[in-house]
Amino acid sequence: MDDEVFLNEIVEVVAVFQSGNRPCRPVKFRRKNGREVVITKIGLGYDSERGARTVHIFDVTDGQADYRLEFDSVTLVWRLTREADHV
């Protein structure tokens, strides 16, 4: 992500849970300003250990901008932590 903005915004996420290698997949999210972002592609997805909790991290795009979503497995809260326009 080039020219990215670092955020810490709680967002509402629609996700699909299924069996397989990556059981959780975000489909779309709504920002606090009401804007809905439909995810067209998931890039890198990985887990990060932060103390006793695991945070599931997804780098996604809607075709116009790139985003990083983080799902905290303890609090069950989704956060938008980064945003970058496509160049």
Side-chain angles (χ1 to χ4, degrees):
M1 292 185 190
D2 295 331
D3 299 324
E4 61 190 338
V5 177
F6 292 87
L7 307 164
N8 188 26
E9 180 181 329
I10 294 176
V11 291
E12 297 174 355
V13 175
V14 173
V16 173
F17 292 85
Q18 58 196 21
S19 61
N21 188 15
R22 194 73 180 158
C24 175
R25 179 176 52 90
V27 176
K28 63 182 177 179
F29 63 94
R30 181 176 298 135
R31 301 194 60 179
K32 65 182 175 186
N33 64 7
R35 182 170 164 256
E36 189 172 279
V37 176
V38 176
I39 297 167
T40 58
K41 184 177 179 183
I42 299 175
L44 184 63
Y46 61 96
D47 299 335
S48 175
E49 300 297 326
R50 297 186 184 164
R53 62 183 49 174
T54 300
V55 176
H56 305 280
I57 300 170
F58 301 89
D59 287 337
V60 300
T61 186
D62 65 354
Q64 298 177 16
D66 296 326
Y67 306 93
R68 176 164 292 162
L69 293 171
E70 298 187 4
F71 179 66
D72 186 312
S73 63
V74 173
T75 63
L76 305 180
V77 171
W78 286 91
R79 293 183 184 276
L80 174 62
T81 60
R82 297 183 189 181
E83 178 180 9
D85 290 332
H86 279 244
V87 197

